[in-house]
Amino acid sequence: MLPIILLLMTAMATGMLAGFTGGEAPLVCVYFYPWYSSDGRHWGDSPLTPVVDEPLIGYYDSRDPVVVDWQLGLISDAGVDCLFVSWWGPGSFEDEASRLVFQRLGEHGLKAAILVEPYLGGDAGLYGRGWWEDTLDYIYENFVEKYSESYLSWEGSPLVLAFNPIGMSYRPLDPRFTIRIVGNDIDRAGYQHWDLWPDYLAPWVAEKDAVLRVRSDGYVAITPRFDDRVFCETGVRTGCGQRLIDPDYALNAYAIQWEWVLRNLDRVRLVAVYSWNEYHERSMIEPHRDATAVNPDPYYVYKVTMNYVAKLEAGVGGQGTTDMLAPAAAALALSSLLILILYRARRGGRGSTP
């Protein structure tokens, strides 16, 4: 009964958005992380997984179908087209959670591609020819073939992303796939194709203009925020201040990046938002209770995303689609409130402490 209620409520908001789409617009994808569990996994359970913000529905489990439907419903209603799903190898926690995501994509009109993470460790030599062959075979058999209608293609073939240092020492030529290496500081490193996030804009702690870097195939990455200072506080990382982007949203960095995209639509084919729900580096657009934001609305960055995706699809730049989207945003808020109540009731009233 609960999934049916969810689909009916999100359909209301989707219907309100009808009519705002225009011609051939760039794809909009979000980086998606299905690594959370109700027993605290990735919710601050180690110095490597700090969390200072809280999802609107509490610290959830990525394997819960209700949670996945809530997430995918919101992603779809924002006008987003696709997900890049973080995957940590065959048989992993994320492997199980990713299968659930792919099973539910079609119900929400979404597509997704696998983002292979460096789950063997940080040595690039571990990801050689044999590893690539086994990994690509597994993805093809377990995701591409099983979910062919929902698997995202790019440049005419199913897309597989891999995060650095994968790809540094060996990159395959597999005619089944389009392969893109994703990473940090890619202009200096020289072997990746796509930015995970626009780290070249950091630090962004004062007002400034932004010039984004569109990659050779039309890909551009944007982020509402990047703030990993909690890692530096615990000694896990260094130099966090140099990576900082708009930690309290006071600089409107996210809107500035979107405005740049709208002015350069002739160059952009894919807008990648980092991220839907990466809470450790605080880049999430998923509705959440924010520890530092100047705007306390849990939907703040989500609404900004919805607004600009509508502008992107309409090709109208800054011409007032915010007012047109207000009824849809209200419907989404009502839908999410219902899901929040039902989800917490299902959990037996348990609190949200990680």
Side-chain angles (χ1 to χ4, degrees):
M1 185 63 182
L2 184 55
I4 295 173
I5 295 173
L6 174 59
L7 290 173
L8 289 174
M9 293 296 294
T10 54
M12 273 177 33
T14 303
M16 291 179 183
L17 290 171
F20 297 125
T21 58
E24 188 72 19
L27 288 176
V28 178
C29 299
V30 292
Y31 283 93
F32 185 90
Y33 293 85
W35 53 25
Y36 303 101
S37 76
S38 56
D39 62 2
R41 188 178 193 274
H42 270 272
W43 294 123
D45 60 333
S46 82
L48 298 175
T49 61
V51 174
V52 299
D53 310 291
E54 182 182 359
L56 185 60
I57 62 171
Y59 298 103
Y60 53 71
D61 194 311
S62 295
R63 301 164 300 179
D64 188 325
V66 174
V67 171
V68 173
D69 273 323
W70 176 74
Q71 293 174 313
L72 297 184
L74 286 170
I75 292 170
S76 177
D77 291 334
V80 172
D81 302 294
C82 41
L83 293 69
F84 298 148
V85 181
S86 175
W87 180 80
W88 291 77
S92 64
F93 180 98
E94 295 81 6
D95 188 37
E96 176 187 353
S98 295
R99 291 170 188 268
L100 177 58
V101 171
F102 274 86
Q103 289 168 14
R104 302 299 302 152
L105 289 169
E107 294 291 334
H108 300 277
L110 294 166
K111 294 184 180 293
I114 290 292
L115 165 63
V116 183
E117 302 278 8
Y119 58 87
L120 297 180
D123 180 358
L126 296 171
Y127 307 99
R129 179 175 177 175
W131 176 86
W132 270 108
E133 291 176 350
D134 292 343
T135 299
L136 292 177
D137 285 346
Y138 186 90
I139 292 172
Y140 195 81
E141 294 169 7
N142 291 276
F143 292 97
V144 176
E145 288 188 325
K146 285 188 177 180
Y147 309 106
S148 58
E149 293 186 0
S150 299
Y151 201 95
L152 178 67
S153 288
W154 183 251
E155 306 286 6
S157 299
L159 173 66
V160 169
L161 302 87
F163 192 73
N164 57 208
I166 302 173
M168 181 184 292
S169 62
Y170 180 83
R171 277 188 286 176
L173 294 175
D174 189 322
R176 296 175 297 177
F177 294 100
T178 297
I179 297 172
R180 292 292 183 266
I181 307 302
V182 179
N184 302 312
D185 196 15
I186 76 171
D187 295 297
R188 184 186 63 82
Y191 69 94
Q192 307 104 317
H193 303 100
W194 290 353
D195 315 86
L196 178 67
W197 61 288
D199 51 7
Y200 53 83
L201 296 177
W204 191 341
V205 293
E207 292 185 3
K208 69 176 183 179
D209 292 327
V211 177
L212 300 180
R213 297 177 185 176
V214 181
R215 301 307 169 182
S216 61
D217 57 359
Y219 170 99
V220 65
I222 64 175
T223 188
R225 169 174 63 193
F226 191 94
D227 182 5
D228 64 347
R229 288 175 296 178
V230 66
F231 286 96
C232 284
E233 293 169 4
T234 59
V236 174
R237 297 181 182 177
T238 61
C240 296
Q242 293 304 305
R243 293 187 291 275
L244 197 61
I245 292 182
D246 201 3
D248 58 6
Y249 305 140
L251 300 174
N252 294 312
Y254 192 38
I256 290 171
Q257 293 167 74
W258 271 114
E259 291 289 347
W260 189 96
V261 169
L262 292 174
R263 294 193 303 270
N264 293 272
L265 288 179
D266 59 326
R267 301 172 54 193
V268 176
R269 295 177 57 212
L270 192 160
V271 181
V273 179
Y274 181 74
S275 63
W276 174 255
N277 63 336
E278 215 291 4
Y279 281 85
H280 311 311
E281 295 172 342
R282 307 190 69 207
S283 61
M284 61 284 177
I285 64 171
E286 180 175 80
H288 65 278
R289 297 180 182 87
D290 200 278
T292 60
V294 294
N295 188 323
D297 182 1
Y299 290 89
Y300 171 60
V301 287
Y302 175 80
K303 290 177 181 176
V304 172
T305 306
M306 175 187 281
N307 180 31
Y308 277 106
V309 172
K311 292 179 179 181
L312 183 75
E313 293 178 342
V316 296
Q319 297 179 14
T321 53
T322 302
D323 292 338
M324 298 191 296
L325 288 170
L332 286 170
L334 178 60
S335 171
S336 290
L337 177 61
L338 177 61
I339 295 304
L340 174 61
I341 294 170
L342 293 174
Y343 177 63
R344 287 187 170 170
R346 176 176 169 176
R347 295 174 67 188
R350 294 192 295 273
S352 57
T353 304

